[in-house]
Amino acid sequence: MSELDLIQTLSHEEIQAIEIEIAHLPDRASAAIDALLIVQEHRGWVSDESLDAIARLLEMSPADLDSIATFYNLIYRKPVGRHVIMVCDSVSCYVMGCDKLCRQMEDKLGVKMGQTTPDDRFTLLPIVCLGACDRAPVMQIDEELIGPVAGDQLDQVLGRFE
Amino acid sequence: MDKPLTERIDACGGLVDMAAFEAAEGYATARRAVTEMTPQEIQEIVKEANLRGRGGAGFPTGVKWGFVPKDEHAGAGHKYLVCNADEMEPGTFKDRYLMEYDPHMLIEGMIIGAFAIQADKAYVFLRGEYHESYRLLNNAIAEAKAKGYLGEGIFGSSFDLELAVHRSAGRYICGEETALLNALEGKRAQPRTKPPFPPASGAWGRPTIVNNVETLCNVPAILQNGAEWFQDLGLGEDAGTKIYGVSGRVNNPGLWELPMGTTIREIIEQHAGGMQDGYELRGILPGGASTEFLIEEHFDLPMEYGTIQAAGSRMGTGTMILMDDSICPVDMSRNLQHFFAQESCGFCTPCREGLPWLEQLLLDIEEGRGQPGDLELLETNASLIGAPGNTFCLHATGAIEPLASALKYFREDFEAHIRDGRCPQAGH
């Protein structure tokens, strides 16, 4: 991939944000996770093409970068919907009824955990403890924490995310 | 009662901004530490105060700081202070509260900690889902930098300190100190061989101290008020206050800063408002998912490191999860093993293969497919998987703690599932 291809694959904005992270670190490869998150913020997920471009920018092999990308659950190597819903299934939310909430969400959206709705509006994912256990059962949609969630509020909550 | 961690938050009724923080003497202690004290003096005060790590392990903070080689032995290069803000222990929500309501308190604690170990680089290792903490910390860091409290020659001294937030991308194993360092370096979060321990060789092979958020937040008040004051805050053998928390079917789930050594019963009944109508308390996980169950006979014990350990559990993060009588202990154990199986980093066979196997066996018992001998099988395998030394880190050991104790305290529930071929609480 030439310098020109790299610039065509990643935007100037993305490259700039990644370079800021690199400046805090002793070497370029140490910014791998930051770079993956930055590109994902701009594109929703990390495609093979993006991964190759990031690897080149960080002067590492795409295989090494992919081994890192696939280790972390908040890096998406497949496309996701416009909004990502994470429903906590850890123990405090379990005690407060998250199994029921997960089923209600699956029924409401017509998809299973890990799937995206056919209109690409929502991706539904389970997540470990969100650190808001006094509000259990909780979920997070994009960057917004919502809880406690009652089954009869789901339409209203989901309606805010077009 | 003194509440060094939360009294500013209470007074502000919400976020403590830079103006409010400085009006309440914020950064005055860091300024004094950096301009008037020696690193050695600071370490001695924190040691004498008996501040113990609030992330769960309870290791004395001042002693840990003392492991960092002094300048002449440290070789050339950076030293690092890393704040472990990867709050992922299920049931734990205290560090989020501190960061989202008083971010400058953490920064002040980090300035003092960094100066005490002579680190010129510091990172907050923040879990990826904490978006609000990320925004607030970055704002607070920019404000501190603008005032000359971070950057080159802080407070007009010759001491430089750069502080940056590293956003994590998930995985519970990042909370393990050496896995965290690999993640900080942009690698897969697999734990490292110990020794060497991080104070000798940590981030990028350089001396590194990893401290929890709540631990670092305690440091400014200790320096401001003295070691004796801090020791006197605790009711029993441990010093200071603790952010205790309760989640589950109580009337008022939440967090409270209370004297270290407050009893379990007082926390649940007075602060969390007791159980909701119609629910009986059967047991608690005192400090997160990886701590052993405690039951009624333990509820008058003070929540402090040694006492809870003597009772067969760990105080852990001090945020307890309550199991009421509507919850099946077998199914709750399955939920816990699901978490640990999923979050294994996959490096060691007993953890990677053993934990999903335990989860499956618990599911079978829960759904009525249990066989005579299954409980013995669970116990044998739990002891093999959980024994320290059989795996590289303590992830599997932590996973077994709630399971082994559930088998001990709720054995009749497990036996009833196998005997009757169904969950007595199914359909509840």
Side-chain angles (χ1 to χ4, degrees):
Chain A
M1 192 187 282
S2 72
E3 212 57 50
L4 187 67
D5 290 336
L6 176 66
I7 288 167
Q8 281 173 345
T9 308
L10 297 178
S11 68
H12 282 289
E13 213 185 339
E14 286 165 308
I15 293 172
Q16 235 170 18
I18 294 168
E19 291 292 346
I20 289 171
E21 296 299 332
I22 292 170
H24 292 303
L25 298 163
D27 55 62
R28 299 182 72 81
S30 291
I33 295 162
D34 308 280
L36 290 163
L37 285 173
I38 286 165
V39 170
Q40 182 167 287
E41 257 169 17
H42 283 82
R43 294 158 195 261
W45 66 295
V46 180
S47 66
D48 288 350
E49 201 186 20
S50 298
L51 188 98
D52 284 346
I54 298 166
R56 187 182 158 83
L57 188 64
L58 301 182
E59 296 166 9
M60 62 195 296
S61 79
D64 278 348
L65 186 63
D66 205 15
S67 80
I68 295 161
T70 53
F71 184 89
Y72 293 99
N73 60 298
L74 298 182
I75 306 289
Y76 309 135
R77 288 286 279 117
K78 284 196 245 176
V80 292
R82 292 195 295 283
H83 306 288
V84 176
I85 304 174
M86 294 173 168
V87 185
C88 175
D89 66 2
S90 291
V91 64
S92 294
C93 284
Y94 164 82
V95 166
M96 299 305 284
C98 71
D99 284 357
K100 190 175 161 200
L101 178 62
C102 287
R103 282 197 304 274
Q104 286 171 327
M105 290 298 288
E106 288 178 336
D107 291 347
K108 185 69 68 185
L109 298 174
V111 294
K112 294 286 175 201
M113 282 286 166
Q115 296 179 336
T116 299
T117 56
D119 61 358
D120 287 333
R121 186 173 163 204
F122 291 115
T123 296
L124 183 63
L125 298 174
I127 192 75
V128 295
C129 182
L130 283 167
C133 316
D134 52 342
R135 295 167 62 184
V138 294
M139 60 184 181
Q140 188 161 297
I141 305 185
D142 301 334
E143 299 193 356
E144 190 183 331
L145 192 65
I146 300 162
V149 190
D152 55 5
Q153 301 167 339
L154 291 181
D155 284 327
Q156 189 212 335
V157 168
L158 294 175
R160 293 197 281 114
F161 298 87
E162 273 310 315
Chain B
M1 187 182 69
D2 278 319
K3 295 202 289 178
L5 299 173
T6 59
E7 64 193 4
R8 266 189 300 256
I9 301 171
D10 291 347
C12 286
L15 175 69
V16 182
D17 62 14
M18 177 61 108
F21 188 72
E22 292 209 284
E25 293 183 69
Y27 288 116
T29 310
R31 179 190 300 275
R32 190 166 63 82
V34 171
T35 59
E36 295 174 24
M37 297 177 75
T38 66
Q40 200 55 41
E41 278 174 330
I42 298 169
Q43 288 190 17
E44 285 307 317
I45 292 172
V46 172
K47 242 182 251 179
E48 201 189 316
N50 193 24
L51 172 62
R52 299 178 64 174
R54 303 301 200 231
F59 195 83
T61 305
V63 175
K64 196 193 249 186
W65 290 358
F67 293 152
V68 174
K70 301 291 174 287
D71 282 337
E72 59 273 28
H73 303 294
H78 298 296
K79 288 188 213 168
Y80 296 99
L81 174 69
V82 180
C83 172
N84 186 346
D86 193 51
E87 184 168 62
M88 289 186 82
E89 180 67 36
T92 304
F93 50 111
K94 66 189 182 64
D95 295 338
R96 179 203 282 272
Y97 180 81
L98 294 171
M99 291 187 287
E100 293 187 359
Y101 287 95
D102 202 350
H104 286 290
M105 174 169 57
L106 175 60
I107 296 171
E108 183 172 26
M110 290 188 73
I111 293 171
I112 299 168
F115 181 74
I117 61 165
Q118 291 290 289
D120 59 340
K121 296 258 187 188
Y123 295 97
V124 178
F125 187 98
L126 182 69
R127 70 174 292 193
E129 296 91 338
Y130 279 16
H131 298 285
E132 187 67 6
S133 303
Y134 183 66
R135 275 190 289 270
L136 289 166
L137 278 171
N138 273 331
N139 283 344
I141 288 169
E143 287 174 333
K145 216 168 172 175
K147 291 211 162 203
Y149 305 163
L150 289 172
E152 286 180 17
I154 65 172
F155 301 111
S157 73
S158 60
F159 181 67
D160 302 336
L161 178 62
E162 192 200 339
L163 173 58
V165 181
H166 170 92
R167 252 184 321 169
S168 183
R171 302 304 297 273
Y172 172 71
I173 198 66
C174 292
E176 201 274 347
E177 179 169 80
T178 60
L180 180 149
L181 294 176
N182 276 337
L184 182 67
E185 293 183 12
K187 299 172 182 160
R188 291 164 73 96
Q190 277 160 347
R192 298 177 178 176
T193 318
K194 288 176 277 189
F197 289 92
S201 177
W204 296 282
R206 298 292 305 156
T208 304
I209 287 292
V210 182
N211 287 138
N212 166 259
V213 173
E214 186 184 353
T215 309
L216 288 163
C217 286
N218 271 295
V219 170
I222 291 173
L223 252 60
Q224 191 184 353
N225 302 299
E228 201 176 323
W229 165 84
F230 189 72
Q231 287 185 345
D232 289 346
L233 288 177
L235 300 176
E237 61 188 34
D238 286 317
T241 61
K242 180 78 192 76
I243 309 267
Y244 293 114
V246 175
S247 60
R249 296 255 176 223
V250 288
N251 287 307
N252 179 31
L255 296 167
W256 310 274
E257 183 181 12
L258 300 170
M260 185 68 93
T262 303
T263 66
I264 295 168
R265 199 180 300 283
E266 181 185 329
I267 296 167
I268 294 172
E269 289 182 1
Q270 289 183 31
H271 302 283
M275 298 304 288
Q276 292 175 10
D277 277 348
Y279 293 95
E280 293 277 333
L281 180 58
R282 289 194 67 191
I284 69 167
L285 298 171
S290 64
T291 61
E292 288 93 341
F293 276 99
L294 294 177
I295 55 170
E296 169 64 34
E297 67 184 66
H298 304 116
F299 293 164
D300 288 311
L301 295 176
M303 276 285 274
E304 54 190 14
Y305 298 99
T307 309
I308 298 300
Q309 198 165 357
S313 186
R314 292 187 302 118
M315 188 173 79
T317 61
T319 44
M320 55 185 84
I321 304 145
L322 272 50
M323 184 181 82
D324 61 74
D325 61 349
S326 75
I327 301 297
C328 167
V330 177
D331 198 47
M332 181 160 161
S333 297
R334 177 206 53 78
N335 173 276
L336 289 161
Q337 290 314 310
H338 171 74
F339 169 81
F340 288 109
Q342 175 184 295
E343 294 303 313
S344 169
C345 84
F347 187 69
C348 305
T349 309
C351 181
R352 181 189 64 245
E353 306 297 326
L355 296 179
W357 193 90
L358 289 178
E359 182 194 348
Q360 184 60 46
L361 187 51
L362 286 163
L363 180 67
D364 286 344
I365 296 171
E366 172 62 19
E367 293 185 344
R369 297 184 296 272
Q371 303 292 323
D374 274 359
L375 297 190
E376 291 71 24
L377 199 57
L378 268 182
E379 277 171 334
T380 306
N381 282 283
S383 68
L384 288 171
I385 294 165
N390 286 355
T391 48
F392 211 59
C393 80
L394 292 174
H395 179 83
T397 309
I400 298 310
E401 289 179 20
L403 176 60
S405 54
L407 283 165
K408 178 175 160 193
Y409 293 125
F410 310 113
R411 195 165 190 94
E412 283 167 25
D413 294 81
F414 284 83
E415 285 168 348
H417 281 71
I418 293 176
R419 188 180 58 235
D420 304 341
R422 59 185 282 275
C423 174
Q425 283 162 292
H428 190 95

Short mmCIF file of all heavy atoms in Angstrom, two decimals, chain B residues 52 56-59 237-238 264 286-287 291-294 298 301-316 401 408-409:
data_model
loop_
_atom_site.label_atom_id
_atom_site.label_comp_id
_atom_site.label_asym_id
_atom_site.label_seq_id
_atom_site.Cartn_x
_atom_site.Cartn_y
_atom_site.Cartn_z
N ARG B 52 -4.18 0.86 52.30
CA ARG B 52 -4.09 -0.41 51.57
C ARG B 52 -4.88 -0.31 50.28
O ARG B 52 -5.89 0.39 50.20
CB ARG B 52 -4.61 -1.56 52.44
CG ARG B 52 -3.79 -1.71 53.72
CD ARG B 52 -4.32 -2.80 54.62
NE ARG B 52 -4.23 -4.11 53.99
CZ ARG B 52 -4.53 -5.25 54.61
NH1 ARG B 52 -4.92 -5.24 55.88
NH2 ARG B 52 -4.45 -6.41 53.98
N GLY B 56 -8.90 -4.22 45.55
CA GLY B 56 -9.33 -5.56 45.94
C GLY B 56 -8.27 -6.36 46.68
O GLY B 56 -8.57 -7.13 47.57
N ALA B 57 -7.01 -6.17 46.32
CA ALA B 57 -5.96 -7.00 46.93
C ALA B 57 -5.53 -6.49 48.29
O ALA B 57 -5.05 -7.25 49.12
CB ALA B 57 -4.76 -7.10 45.99
N GLY B 58 -5.67 -5.19 48.54
CA GLY B 58 -5.36 -4.66 49.86
C GLY B 58 -3.89 -4.55 50.18
O GLY B 58 -3.50 -4.49 51.35
N PHE B 59 -3.05 -4.50 49.16
CA PHE B 59 -1.60 -4.39 49.41
C PHE B 59 -1.26 -2.98 49.90
O PHE B 59 -1.79 -2.01 49.38
CB PHE B 59 -0.82 -4.71 48.13
CG PHE B 59 0.63 -4.96 48.38
CD1 PHE B 59 1.07 -6.22 48.77
CD2 PHE B 59 1.56 -3.94 48.24
CE1 PHE B 59 2.41 -6.45 49.03
CE2 PHE B 59 2.91 -4.17 48.51
CZ PHE B 59 3.33 -5.43 48.89
N GLU B 237 -9.02 -2.59 62.66
CA GLU B 237 -7.60 -2.76 62.37
C GLU B 237 -7.16 -2.03 61.10
O GLU B 237 -5.97 -1.79 60.92
CB GLU B 237 -7.27 -4.25 62.26
CG GLU B 237 -8.03 -4.97 61.15
CD GLU B 237 -7.84 -6.48 61.19
OE1 GLU B 237 -7.71 -7.03 62.30
OE2 GLU B 237 -7.83 -7.08 60.11
N ASP B 238 -8.09 -1.71 60.20
CA ASP B 238 -7.71 -1.04 58.96
C ASP B 238 -8.00 0.46 59.03
O ASP B 238 -8.91 0.89 59.73
CB ASP B 238 -8.45 -1.65 57.77
CG ASP B 238 -7.89 -3.01 57.39
OD1 ASP B 238 -6.65 -3.15 57.38
OD2 ASP B 238 -8.69 -3.92 57.14
N ILE B 264 -21.20 -5.40 58.05
CA ILE B 264 -22.02 -5.76 56.88
C ILE B 264 -23.48 -5.40 57.16
O ILE B 264 -24.16 -4.82 56.32
CB ILE B 264 -21.87 -7.27 56.59
CG1 ILE B 264 -20.43 -7.58 56.17
CG2 ILE B 264 -22.87 -7.73 55.54
CD1 ILE B 264 -20.10 -9.07 56.14
N PRO B 286 -19.21 -10.34 49.17
CA PRO B 286 -18.89 -9.08 49.86
C PRO B 286 -18.16 -8.04 49.01
O PRO B 286 -18.33 -6.85 49.24
CB PRO B 286 -18.02 -9.52 51.04
CG PRO B 286 -17.50 -10.87 50.68
CD PRO B 286 -18.53 -11.50 49.79
N GLY B 287 -17.37 -8.49 48.04
CA GLY B 287 -16.58 -7.47 47.33
C GLY B 287 -16.41 -7.77 45.87
O GLY B 287 -15.32 -7.64 45.34
N THR B 291 -15.38 -13.02 44.91
CA THR B 291 -15.20 -13.22 46.35
C THR B 291 -16.19 -14.28 46.84
O THR B 291 -17.24 -14.48 46.23
CB THR B 291 -15.42 -11.91 47.14
OG1 THR B 291 -16.75 -11.43 46.94
CG2 THR B 291 -14.43 -10.83 46.69
N GLU B 292 -15.82 -14.99 47.90
CA GLU B 292 -16.65 -16.08 48.41
C GLU B 292 -17.92 -15.56 49.06
O GLU B 292 -17.90 -14.50 49.70
CB GLU B 292 -15.89 -16.92 49.47
CG GLU B 292 -14.80 -17.78 48.90
CD GLU B 292 -13.44 -17.09 48.92
OE1 GLU B 292 -13.40 -15.85 49.03
OE2 GLU B 292 -12.43 -17.81 48.82
N PHE B 293 -18.98 -16.34 48.96
CA PHE B 293 -20.24 -16.00 49.64
C PHE B 293 -20.03 -15.92 51.14
O PHE B 293 -19.27 -16.68 51.73
CB PHE B 293 -21.29 -17.10 49.40
CG PHE B 293 -22.04 -16.96 48.11
CD1 PHE B 293 -21.67 -17.71 47.00
CD2 PHE B 293 -23.11 -16.08 48.00
CE1 PHE B 293 -22.36 -17.59 45.80
CE2 PHE B 293 -23.82 -15.96 46.81
CZ PHE B 293 -23.44 -16.72 45.70
N LEU B 294 -20.73 -14.97 51.76
CA LEU B 294 -20.88 -14.95 53.21
C LEU B 294 -22.38 -15.05 53.49
O LEU B 294 -23.20 -14.67 52.65
CB LEU B 294 -20.32 -13.65 53.80
CG LEU B 294 -18.80 -13.45 53.68
CD1 LEU B 294 -18.41 -12.10 54.25
CD2 LEU B 294 -18.03 -14.57 54.38
N HIS B 298 -22.26 -14.28 59.32
CA HIS B 298 -21.13 -13.36 59.14
C HIS B 298 -21.54 -11.88 59.14
O HIS B 298 -20.68 -11.01 59.08
CB HIS B 298 -20.44 -13.63 57.79
CG HIS B 298 -19.98 -15.04 57.61
ND1 HIS B 298 -20.47 -15.88 56.64
CD2 HIS B 298 -19.05 -15.77 58.29
CE1 HIS B 298 -19.87 -17.06 56.71
NE2 HIS B 298 -19.01 -17.02 57.71
N LEU B 301 -19.95 -9.01 61.13
CA LEU B 301 -18.50 -8.77 61.00
C LEU B 301 -18.25 -7.41 60.37
O LEU B 301 -19.02 -6.96 59.52
CB LEU B 301 -17.86 -9.85 60.11
CG LEU B 301 -17.88 -11.28 60.64
CD1 LEU B 301 -17.31 -12.22 59.59
CD2 LEU B 301 -17.11 -11.38 61.95
N PRO B 302 -17.15 -6.77 60.81
CA PRO B 302 -16.77 -5.52 60.15
C PRO B 302 -16.19 -5.79 58.78
O PRO B 302 -15.47 -6.78 58.59
CB PRO B 302 -15.71 -4.93 61.09
CG PRO B 302 -15.17 -6.09 61.85
CD PRO B 302 -16.27 -7.11 61.94
N MET B 303 -16.51 -4.91 57.83
CA MET B 303 -15.95 -5.03 56.48
C MET B 303 -14.55 -4.45 56.49
O MET B 303 -14.34 -3.25 56.27
CB MET B 303 -16.83 -4.27 55.48
CG MET B 303 -18.02 -5.07 54.99
SD MET B 303 -17.57 -6.36 53.79
CE MET B 303 -17.60 -5.40 52.26
N GLU B 304 -13.58 -5.30 56.79
CA GLU B 304 -12.17 -4.91 56.73
C GLU B 304 -11.38 -6.12 56.23
O GLU B 304 -11.86 -7.25 56.31
CB GLU B 304 -11.67 -4.40 58.09
CG GLU B 304 -11.92 -5.37 59.22
CD GLU B 304 -11.65 -4.78 60.60
OE1 GLU B 304 -11.51 -3.57 60.74
OE2 GLU B 304 -11.56 -5.58 61.54
N TYR B 305 -10.19 -5.86 55.72
CA TYR B 305 -9.46 -6.90 54.98
C TYR B 305 -9.28 -8.19 55.78
O TYR B 305 -9.67 -9.27 55.34
CB TYR B 305 -8.10 -6.38 54.53
CG TYR B 305 -8.17 -5.19 53.60
CD1 TYR B 305 -7.99 -3.89 54.06
CD2 TYR B 305 -8.41 -5.38 52.24
CE1 TYR B 305 -8.05 -2.81 53.19
CE2 TYR B 305 -8.47 -4.30 51.37
CZ TYR B 305 -8.30 -3.02 51.85
OH TYR B 305 -8.36 -1.95 51.00
N GLY B 306 -8.67 -8.08 56.98
CA GLY B 306 -8.30 -9.27 57.73
C GLY B 306 -9.51 -10.06 58.22
O GLY B 306 -9.53 -11.29 58.17
N THR B 307 -10.53 -9.34 58.72
CA THR B 307 -11.69 -10.01 59.28
C THR B 307 -12.46 -10.80 58.22
O THR B 307 -12.88 -11.94 58.46
CB THR B 307 -12.64 -8.97 59.92
OG1 THR B 307 -11.86 -8.15 60.79
CG2 THR B 307 -13.74 -9.63 60.69
N ILE B 308 -12.64 -10.18 57.05
CA ILE B 308 -13.39 -10.86 56.00
C ILE B 308 -12.59 -12.05 55.46
O ILE B 308 -13.13 -13.10 55.14
CB ILE B 308 -13.77 -9.87 54.88
CG1 ILE B 308 -14.69 -8.76 55.45
CG2 ILE B 308 -14.47 -10.58 53.72
CD1 ILE B 308 -15.99 -9.22 56.05
N GLN B 309 -11.28 -11.89 55.45
CA GLN B 309 -10.43 -13.01 55.02
C GLN B 309 -10.51 -14.16 56.02
O GLN B 309 -10.61 -15.33 55.63
CB GLN B 309 -8.98 -12.55 54.86
CG GLN B 309 -8.17 -13.51 54.03
CD GLN B 309 -6.86 -12.91 53.57
OE1 GLN B 309 -6.57 -11.74 53.82
NE2 GLN B 309 -6.06 -13.71 52.89
N ALA B 310 -10.52 -13.82 57.30
CA ALA B 310 -10.61 -14.87 58.32
C ALA B 310 -11.94 -15.61 58.25
O ALA B 310 -12.05 -16.77 58.62
CB ALA B 310 -10.42 -14.25 59.71
N ALA B 311 -12.98 -14.91 57.72
CA ALA B 311 -14.29 -15.55 57.58
C ALA B 311 -14.36 -16.38 56.30
O ALA B 311 -15.41 -16.95 55.98
CB ALA B 311 -15.38 -14.47 57.57
N GLY B 312 -13.26 -16.44 55.56
CA GLY B 312 -13.22 -17.32 54.39
C GLY B 312 -13.51 -16.62 53.08
O GLY B 312 -13.69 -17.26 52.05
N SER B 313 -13.56 -15.28 53.11
CA SER B 313 -13.83 -14.57 51.86
C SER B 313 -12.79 -13.47 51.69
O SER B 313 -11.71 -13.54 52.27
CB SER B 313 -15.26 -14.00 51.87
OG SER B 313 -15.57 -13.43 50.63
N ARG B 314 -13.11 -12.48 50.88
CA ARG B 314 -12.23 -11.32 50.71
C ARG B 314 -13.09 -10.08 50.67
O ARG B 314 -14.19 -10.10 50.13
CB ARG B 314 -11.44 -11.43 49.40
CG ARG B 314 -10.41 -12.55 49.38
CD ARG B 314 -9.55 -12.49 48.13
NE ARG B 314 -10.35 -12.56 46.92
CZ ARG B 314 -10.42 -11.60 46.00
NH1 ARG B 314 -9.75 -10.48 46.14
NH2 ARG B 314 -11.18 -11.75 44.93
N MET B 315 -12.56 -8.97 51.21
CA MET B 315 -13.34 -7.73 51.13
C MET B 315 -13.39 -7.22 49.69
O MET B 315 -14.31 -6.51 49.31
CB MET B 315 -12.78 -6.66 52.04
CG MET B 315 -13.70 -5.46 52.09
SD MET B 315 -13.24 -4.22 53.29
CE MET B 315 -11.95 -3.39 52.41
N GLY B 316 -12.39 -7.61 48.91
CA GLY B 316 -12.39 -7.24 47.49
C GLY B 316 -12.56 -5.74 47.31
O GLY B 316 -11.85 -4.95 47.92
N GLU B 401 -13.81 -19.02 43.68
CA GLU B 401 -14.18 -18.56 45.03
C GLU B 401 -15.70 -18.55 45.26
O GLU B 401 -16.18 -19.14 46.23
CB GLU B 401 -13.54 -17.20 45.32
CG GLU B 401 -12.03 -17.34 45.50
CD GLU B 401 -11.30 -16.03 45.76
OE1 GLU B 401 -11.94 -15.05 46.18
OE2 GLU B 401 -10.07 -15.99 45.57
N LYS B 408 -20.66 -24.93 49.49
CA LYS B 408 -20.59 -25.13 50.94
C LYS B 408 -21.86 -24.62 51.63
O LYS B 408 -22.47 -25.34 52.43
CB LYS B 408 -19.36 -24.37 51.44
CG LYS B 408 -19.13 -24.40 52.93
CD LYS B 408 -17.78 -23.70 53.23
CE LYS B 408 -17.69 -23.26 54.67
NZ LYS B 408 -16.54 -22.33 54.85
N TYR B 409 -22.28 -23.41 51.30
CA TYR B 409 -23.38 -22.80 52.06
C TYR B 409 -24.77 -23.14 51.51
O TYR B 409 -25.75 -23.05 52.23
CB TYR B 409 -23.22 -21.28 52.09
CG TYR B 409 -22.01 -20.82 52.88
CD1 TYR B 409 -21.05 -20.00 52.31
CD2 TYR B 409 -21.83 -21.24 54.21
CE1 TYR B 409 -19.94 -19.58 53.04
CE2 TYR B 409 -20.73 -20.82 54.94
CZ TYR B 409 -19.79 -19.99 54.35
OH TYR B 409 -18.69 -19.58 55.07
#
